[in-house]
């Protein structure tokens, strides 16, 4: 249920039209707490990662209840956050405490496993893959973006075992100062041409542009609002969607990005309890698919009991 017309209209004249929220598919289990989502562009299958145990679920088009694709707590995986499927049909799965595991979708075999080096606190969170096949991964505790190139992936597969993640860009001196252990960099997306990345500081409410390959970092100029509590993002055709799971009673914001990624203008912000603490989202065939994490219902961000079953939402009109 929409929490009043003022919430939906807050972004001004572009915030009209009806947003319709329904259930795309269900996830089995009573303590799933889904976090990440990806889709296979060749088959249309959805993959959903879970905070609790790191189970990966799969739902094919038209399937009402997802099935288990990868079991929990294997390959050192305990919490599956960001997910991506690359052009070679490999599923990349971020494990929050350690790093990222890469699987061959067709065989479900582990291709390679990358781990964060050092003993300092880490929170491996989200990822984006550029057109050249390079993966960029955020670390929310270290304000760092790691990089895995296709050559590094091939070498890691040949060698087997664990391969250290390579830090590519350290934004510690760029993001606003925060208290120790604050979660900073979270969602990350690649520009359509692969010339830059956009990543959100969910505590500072800022959006950053990282030029590729130089690594030059600029703060994106935001008008109409900010991206405080921004989590997962989706970027298509100069439009950026941001999930806000922690405050504002569950929100999704929509932004217009200029042609080179230097400015962002808020065009709509919708607050709705039916988003059920949205952690991330993807857009497909003109609809958003939103992960209803329910993290605040007995999960990692609050006490209580989740509403069962856990589900992925379809959002039209946003």
């Amino acid at each position: 249920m929409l929490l009043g017309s003022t919430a939906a209209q807050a972004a001004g004249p572009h915030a009209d039209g009806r947003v319709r929220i329904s259930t795309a598919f269900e996830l089995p289990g009573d303590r799933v707490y889904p976090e990440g989502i990806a889709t296979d562009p060749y088959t249309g299958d959805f993959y959903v990662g879970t905070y609790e145990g790191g189970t990966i679920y799969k739902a094919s088009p038209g399937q009402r209840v997802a099935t288990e694709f990868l079991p929990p707590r294997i390959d050192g995986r305990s919490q599956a956050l960001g997910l991506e499927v690359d052009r070679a049909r490999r599923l990349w799965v971020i494990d929050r405490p350690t790093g990222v595991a890469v699987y061959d979708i067709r065989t479900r075999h582990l291709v390679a496993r990358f781990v964060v080096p050092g003993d300092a606190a880490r929170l491996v969170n989200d990822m984006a893959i550029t057109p050249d096949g390079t993966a960029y991964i955020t670390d929310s505790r270290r304000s760092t973006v790691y990089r895995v190139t296709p050559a590094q992936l091939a070498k890691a597969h040949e060698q087997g075992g664990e391969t250290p993640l390579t830090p590519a860009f350290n934004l510690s001196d760029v993001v606003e100062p925060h208290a120790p252990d604050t979660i900073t960099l979270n969602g990350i997306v690649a520009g359509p041409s692969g010339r830059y990345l956009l990543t959100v500081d969910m505590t500072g409410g800022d959006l950053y542009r990282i030029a590729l390959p130089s690594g030059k970092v600029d703060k994106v100029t935001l008008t109409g609002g900010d991206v405080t509590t921004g989590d997962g993002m989706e970027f298509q055709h100069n439009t950026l969607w941001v999930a806000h799971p922690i405050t504002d009673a569950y929100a999704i914001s929509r932004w217009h990005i200029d042609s080179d990624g230097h400015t962002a203008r808020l065009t709509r912000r919708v607050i709705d309890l039916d988003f059920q603490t949205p952690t991330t989202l993807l857009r497909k065939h003109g609809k958003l698919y939103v992960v209803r994490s329910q993290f605040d219902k007995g999960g990692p961000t609050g006490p209580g009991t989740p509403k069962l079953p856990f589900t992925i939402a379809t959002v039209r009109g946003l």
Side-chain angles (χ1 to χ4, degrees):
M1 180 179 67
L2 192 64
L3 298 183
S5 60
T6 56
Q9 299 293 335
H14 294 281
D16 54 3
R18 182 183 172 202
V19 171
R20 299 175 300 281
I21 305 173
S22 58
T23 296
F25 55 89
E26 301 174 1
L27 303 171
D30 59 1
R31 288 195 59 82
V32 174
Y33 298 108
E35 208 282 349
I37 189 170
T39 186
D40 184 336
Y42 297 97
T43 64
D45 295 335
F46 290 94
Y47 296 90
V48 177
T50 65
Y51 183 91
E52 189 72 25
T55 304
I56 307 298
Y57 291 100
K58 173 184 174 181
S60 298
Q63 188 175 349
R64 193 61 183 171
V65 181
T67 56
E68 185 180 281
F69 180 75
L70 293 172
R73 298 180 177 87
I74 63 168
D75 305 318
R77 194 183 68 248
S78 61
Q79 296 174 347
L81 303 191
L83 302 182
E84 286 287 345
V85 176
D86 66 19
R87 292 181 178 178
R89 299 196 66 215
R90 292 176 296 233
L91 176 65
W92 297 65
V93 181
I94 287 182
D95 181 56
R96 179 180 185 268
T98 59
V100 59
V102 186
Y103 295 89
D104 185 311
I105 285 179
R106 288 157 289 200
T107 64
R108 307 191 191 192
H109 291 163
L110 182 69
V111 174
R113 178 170 169 77
F114 297 87
V115 297
V116 176
D119 297 325
R122 82 285 304 273
L123 196 170
V124 197
N125 205 324
D126 202 2
M127 69 180 304
I129 299 178
T130 52
D132 68 355
T134 300
Y136 294 90
I137 301 154
T138 56
D139 189 321
S140 301
R141 298 288 190 199
R142 301 184 182 186
S143 299
T144 293
V145 177
Y146 304 107
R147 175 171 52 207
V148 179
T149 66
Q152 289 171 324
L153 177 61
K155 184 176 180 180
H157 176 57
E158 292 173 2
Q159 293 179 339
E162 296 181 345
T163 301
L165 276 171
T166 303
F169 314 116
N170 189 330
L171 277 67
S172 297
D173 294 332
V174 179
V175 300
E176 291 184 6
H178 300 305
D181 296 327
T182 296
I183 295 176
T184 56
L185 302 185
N186 198 326
I188 187 169
V189 291
S193 62
R195 291 184 292 112
Y196 64 87
L197 305 166
L198 297 176
T199 185
V200 60
D201 171 8
M202 72 180 310
T203 299
D206 295 313
L207 189 67
Y208 292 94
R209 180 189 189 275
I210 304 173
L212 298 176
S214 70
K216 182 178 183 296
V217 179
D218 293 298
K219 185 183 290 188
V220 176
T221 301
L222 305 179
T223 58
D226 60 37
V227 285
T228 301
T229 73
D231 198 331
M233 305 191 296
E234 175 74 307
F235 189 22
Q236 291 185 13
H237 308 299
N238 296 103
T239 300
L240 179 75
W241 292 266
V242 183
H244 301 265
I246 299 176
T247 61
D248 297 330
Y250 322 146
I252 294 175
S253 61
R254 187 184 68 200
W255 301 77
H256 174 76
I257 309 296
D258 77 286
S259 60
D260 205 29
H262 287 286
T263 66
R265 175 174 53 87
L266 181 66
T267 59
R268 191 164 191 187
R269 183 181 181 92
V270 173
I271 300 170
D272 199 309
L273 285 178
D274 210 21
F275 290 145
Q276 298 180 15
T277 322
T279 50
T280 195
L281 68 177
L282 61 80
R283 188 166 180 86
K284 182 178 177 183
H285 302 316
K287 297 176 285 188
L288 291 176
Y289 291 85
V290 178
V291 175
R292 292 162 153 170
S293 75
Q294 298 195 69
F295 273 5
D296 59 343
K297 299 293 188 296
T301 65
T305 303
K307 178 182 177 181
L308 298 180
F310 286 94
T311 61
I312 303 300
T314 302
V315 180
R316 297 173 174 83
L318 182 58

